[in-house]
Amino acid sequence: MRLTLRLLSSVVQRRPFYVTTPIFYVNAAPHIGHLYTAVVADAIQRFEKLIDPDCNVIFSTGTDEHGTKIQQAAAKANLAPQEYCNKISEEYRTLFKDFDVEYTDFIRTTEERHKKAVHHFWKKLVKKDYIYKAKYSGWYSVNDESFVPETHVRDELRNGEQVKVSLESGHVVEWTEETNYMFRLSAFKTHLQEWLKNDGVITPSKFQKHLVDMVQNEAYFPDISVSRPSSRVHWAIRVPDDEEQSIYVWLDALVNYLTVLGYPDEDAMIKRGRPWPADVQVIGKDILKFHGIYWPAFLMALNWPPPRRLVCHSHWTVCGAKMSKSCHNVVSPRLEPAPAPALRYMLLREATMHDDANYSQTKLINIANSELADTLGNLGSRCCGAALNPRGEFPPLHATELGELRPGVASELMDCVEALHEICYNHYTNYQFYKAVDAVIHTLHVANLFFESHKPWELRKKPECQKELDVILHITMETLRISAIILQPIIPQLSEKLLDKLQIPKDSRSWQHCVTPSWRVQGAIYETKNIQGGKFVLFPRIYTDKKQKKSVSA
C-alpha cells in the first residue's frame, strides 16, 4: 500500500522514480557480485515500469575511478590511469548491455561534469563550516580507501608477520599521520538517529538494525577525514584552492548520485523533474556505513534530504568464502556454457538479500535446466508445437468443457494462477525476488502436472475431443502468459520471447494484464487468436559435455 501511494503521488507531481546502483570501483574487472547489484536495481526499475507504464524512471550506474588502488592497478597493467579507467569502465558498460541492465545514465567520476559537481558540493560544505583543516592520525586501509577507528582494528598473524587489520573488512591497515581536511560528522548523530526511526528506510530490516547499532556507537562518530595529501593520492580530484590536498575518494564517489541529475545546475535538475531524494539506492552490505552514515550526513549538512530507501544486499560467496583476488576465487560473469539469461535468473532467484548466497556452476546449470529449459520452456514448446496445436492458436475457452474438467489439479492450477499476481506483487514490493520466482515456478509445476494428467496428446487423436483439448491448451497458455508477464523483471529477454510467441500485444504486458478474473465465472481474457509460427525453443538445455549433447540430440 505504501508503494502504491508513493507511485500515485509521483505521478501527480510528475516526479521521476530514481533508482541507483553504487558506482563500481575499477581496480579490477567486474565479477558476479557487481553484476548482482546491477540486476537487483534493474529488476526494481523494471517492476516500477511494469506496474506503471507511464512512470518516468531514472536509473543510474557507473564507475568510480579515483584513488590509490586505481593508481596501483594502472601501474600494474602498464597503462596510464585514464587509459586504464577507460578500459575497465567499458567492460562494465558491455556487461550491463549483455545482461539486460537498462540504465538511463552511466556516470564516470573522471568526467568534467562530475568534477564540477564535487567542487561545488565541497565549497558548500566549507561555506556552512562543516569542513575544517587539522592534523590527523589513525589507521588507514588502502583496500577500503578509508580510515578505521582504533576500536575496529585487531592484531593478526599473516604470512608469519604481525599486522593490524580492519574488523569490518579484514583488510590490512597502516598507521597514518598527516594534515587533512575534516568533516564534522559528530554534528549529525542525532539527525541520523531520527532518520533511522523510519521503518523500511533500510531494507532488509536486519541491516537497519545493524545501522542503528552503528549510529549509537560513539566509535563511529569522530569527525572524519575527507581529504588526503595529493603527494600520496595524485589520481583524484583536487581540493578547491588547495592543490596539495585530494578529495577523499568516498566523498567524491557519493556525489555521483547528484551529478547524474545535473547538479549543481538548478535548471538542469528542474528539467529532470527534481528527482532527489532517490527512491531506492541499491548497495552491498560492505558499503552500508558509507551510504547509511556518511552519505546522509553529507546531504544533511547542505539541508538536502537523505535517500528514501537503501536496499542493502549480502554477498555472493564461493565455497562459503567471500570472493577476492587474493583467494583466486573471483567468478567472472562470462560463464561458459551458460548464457546470460541463465546467470541473471540464478542471481535473482537464489539470493535472499539478508544472507550470503553461495555460487557454484553446478547449481547454475541445474537451476537453468530444470526451471528455464524444462518447467517453463518445455511447457511452452509442447502447447505451442504443431503436434498438439496444428492450428497455431491461443485457443478458445469453452464454458461447457471448462465446467467438465476433472476436479483436483485443474482447480488447484486455476486457484494458483488467479492468486499469483497478488502474491508476486507483495514479494516484488519487498524486493524478495526469490519468493516471487518461487511462486511462479510452483504455479508452473502445477501447470505441468495439469497438462500431464489431462493427456492432450490422446485428445488430439479424437476429433470429438477438440473443445476439451482447446480448454487444456488455453489454461496452460494463459498460465504461461501470466507467468511471463510477472517474470519480466527477472528474465526480460526470455519473457519477451515467450510473450512474442503467444502474440501478446506490446501494450498488453503490464501488471494489470496479469490480474486474472475467475475463469469459472467470467471466462477467457483472451479470445481465439493465432500464435507465432515455427518451432519454439525458449531456452536450450545447457550441456557441459559435448558427447552428452550429441547423444541427446541423436
Side-chain angles (χ1 to χ4, degrees):
M1 179 60 72
R2 183 190 308 158
L3 180 64
T4 305
L5 290 174
R6 182 192 50 70
L7 281 171
L8 290 173
S9 173
S10 295
V11 171
V12 170
Q13 298 172 17
R14 302 184 65 80
R15 182 184 172 279
F17 178 86
Y18 184 26
V19 58
T20 75
T21 72
I23 49 175
F24 300 99
Y25 208 42
V26 297
N27 64 312
H31 58 63
I32 63 167
H34 304 123
L35 178 61
Y36 175 62
T37 306
V39 297
V40 165
D42 184 64
I44 289 171
Q45 67 95 15
R46 284 178 184 274
F47 178 66
E48 289 292 327
K49 291 187 286 191
L50 193 58
I51 58 178
D52 179 12
D54 296 323
C55 180
N56 174 22
V57 169
I58 297 175
F59 172 21
S60 76
T61 189
T63 45
D64 181 2
E65 303 180 15
H66 290 131
T68 307
K69 286 193 291 184
I70 306 302
Q71 294 174 196
Q72 296 170 345
K76 189 175 181 180
N78 292 318
L79 294 172
Q82 188 63 64
E83 186 181 357
Y84 172 81
C85 291
N86 292 346
K87 176 179 177 293
I88 303 297
S89 185
E90 188 57 35
E91 287 186 35
Y92 275 95
R93 283 184 183 270
T94 303
L95 178 71
F96 295 161
K97 180 180 178 182
D98 292 346
F99 282 83
D100 295 312
V101 177
E102 285 191 340
Y103 57 82
T104 62
D105 295 79
F106 192 98
I107 179 72
R108 298 178 59 186
T109 57
T110 50
E111 294 178 56
E112 284 302 317
R113 61 169 174 157
H114 181 65
K115 293 177 184 177
K116 179 182 176 182
V118 171
H119 276 163
H120 189 273
F121 197 88
W122 178 278
K123 289 177 180 178
K124 285 283 191 181
L125 290 174
V126 171
K127 187 176 181 180
K128 288 181 172 288
D129 195 32
Y130 287 117
I131 285 181
Y132 62 95
K133 201 169 187 179
K135 288 187 177 181
Y136 184 80
S137 61
W139 295 104
Y140 186 79
S141 166
V142 173
N143 289 83
D144 301 319
E145 299 276 11
S146 69
F147 284 93
V148 181
E150 179 78 42
T151 54
H152 289 75
V153 171
R154 72 166 183 264
D155 292 310
E156 192 172 293
L157 189 66
R158 290 192 179 180
N159 300 320
E161 183 182 354
Q162 196 77 15
V163 295
K164 298 278 188 181
V165 300
S166 165
L167 285 173
E168 290 182 24
S169 66
H171 292 140
V172 174
V173 297
E174 57 189 31
W175 186 257
T176 302
E177 296 183 4
E178 57 194 24
T179 298
N180 289 338
Y181 285 95
M182 308 294 291
F183 173 74
R184 300 184 194 278
L185 180 65
S186 53
F188 296 96
K189 180 172 182 176
T190 301
H191 299 290
L192 289 166
Q193 288 174 328
E194 287 299 313
W195 176 55
L196 289 170
K197 286 180 181 178
N198 299 306
D199 288 340
V201 73
I202 317 291
T203 189
S205 60
K206 159 184 180 176
F207 294 116
Q208 181 151 344
K209 292 174 183 175
H210 180 53
L211 200 55
V212 167
D213 291 341
M214 291 170 70
V215 171
Q216 289 174 345
N217 189 337
E218 288 297 331
Y220 285 99
F221 278 88
D223 291 351
I224 59 170
S225 169
V226 286
S227 76
R228 301 292 313 281
S230 53
S231 58
R232 289 178 182 259
V233 187
H234 64 79
W235 184 245
I237 298 174
R238 294 292 189 271
V239 169
D241 305 318
D242 189 346
E243 284 293 312
E244 293 184 355
Q245 291 282 317
S246 296
I247 295 175
Y248 174 55
V249 66
W250 272 100
L251 175 54
D252 162 8
L254 290 164
V255 175
N256 93 85
Y257 304 124
L258 302 182
T259 306
V260 164
L261 307 179
Y263 179 86
D265 186 331
E266 182 69 14
D267 290 339
M269 296 186 74
I270 290 172
K271 189 175 180 180
R272 297 214 72 172
R274 292 186 180 277
W276 192 265
D279 292 276
V280 177
Q281 297 205 261
V282 179
I283 60 170
K285 67 180 184 180
D286 55 325
I287 55 176
L288 178 61
K289 176 178 68 176
F290 300 97
H291 285 78
I293 296 179
Y294 296 173
W295 178 225
F298 293 153
L299 290 164
M300 290 170 181
L302 300 189
N303 294 320
W304 282 59
R308 292 171 183 262
R309 175 169 291 181
L310 296 178
V311 172
C312 183
H313 65 73
S314 297
H315 293 144
W316 276 88
T317 62
V318 178
C319 298
K322 183 181 176 181
M323 284 185 287
S324 71
K325 289 188 295 182
S326 59
C327 293
H328 306 289
N329 66 346
V330 173
V331 179
S332 167
R334 309 299 185 182
L335 295 163
E336 294 294 342
L343 179 56
R344 177 179 171 121
Y345 178 76
M346 191 204 74
L347 291 176
L348 292 170
R349 199 255 184 281
E350 281 293 292
T352 64
M353 293 257 194
H354 55 274
D355 289 318
D356 291 345
N358 197 57
Y359 171 82
S360 78
Q361 188 177 54
T362 300
K363 179 193 291 184
L364 167 63
I365 292 173
N366 287 344
I367 288 173
N369 283 343
S370 65
E371 296 185 0
L372 296 180
D374 295 345
T375 303
L376 177 60
N378 190 47
L379 186 63
S381 296
R382 293 174 78 185
C383 66
C384 293
L388 296 179
N389 194 351
R391 295 176 301 180
E393 287 183 338
F394 195 126
L397 185 67
H398 307 287
T400 301
E401 283 70 23
L402 176 64
E404 292 174 352
L405 283 178
R406 297 189 302 277
V409 70
S411 295
E412 182 183 358
L413 176 58
M414 287 188 275
D415 289 342
C416 282
V417 173
E418 288 166 13
L420 193 58
H421 74 279
E422 184 175 354
I423 291 170
C424 292
Y425 180 88
N426 290 332
H427 294 324
Y428 272 132
T429 55
N430 288 309
Y431 312 110
Q432 294 175 316
F433 302 114
Y434 70 103
K435 287 188 176 181
V437 177
D438 268 343
V440 173
I441 293 299
H442 170 71
T443 299
L444 289 169
H445 282 154
V446 177
N448 275 278
L449 180 60
F450 164 81
F451 198 78
E452 288 291 324
S453 64
H454 285 83
K455 301 180 180 179
W457 53 90
E458 291 186 2
L459 299 175
R460 175 72 185 92
K461 299 173 186 177
K462 304 172 184 177
E464 68 276 13
C465 294
Q466 182 60 49
K467 287 188 175 181
E468 186 179 347
L469 176 60
D470 286 347
V471 169
I472 304 305
L473 293 177
H474 179 99
I475 291 174
T476 304
M477 293 168 86
E478 181 69 347
T479 303
L480 289 168
R481 180 188 72 82
I482 290 170
S483 297
I485 289 174
I486 290 173
L487 288 174
Q488 286 177 101
I490 309 295
I491 41 172
Q493 188 182 122
L494 297 183
S495 293
E496 181 180 30
K497 186 176 180 180
L498 180 52
L499 292 167
D500 285 349
K501 178 65 179 180
L502 299 176
Q503 292 282 55
I504 306 303
K506 299 287 185 183
D507 61 359
S508 298
R509 301 181 180 186
S510 300
W511 197 264
Q512 61 178 326
H513 300 109
C514 65
V515 179
T516 310
S518 173
W519 287 323
R520 288 156 286 196
V521 177
Q522 300 183 41
I525 296 177
Y526 283 87
E527 299 300 325
T528 306
K529 59 177 73 177
N530 291 328
I531 61 173
Q532 202 176 67
K535 186 178 179 181
F536 180 64
V537 178
L538 178 67
F539 184 88
R541 288 182 64 81
I542 301 170
Y543 296 98
T544 54
D545 187 337
K546 292 182 179 179
K547 292 181 181 179
Q548 180 188 15
K549 185 175 182 180
K550 285 182 179 179
S551 66
V552 171
S553 302

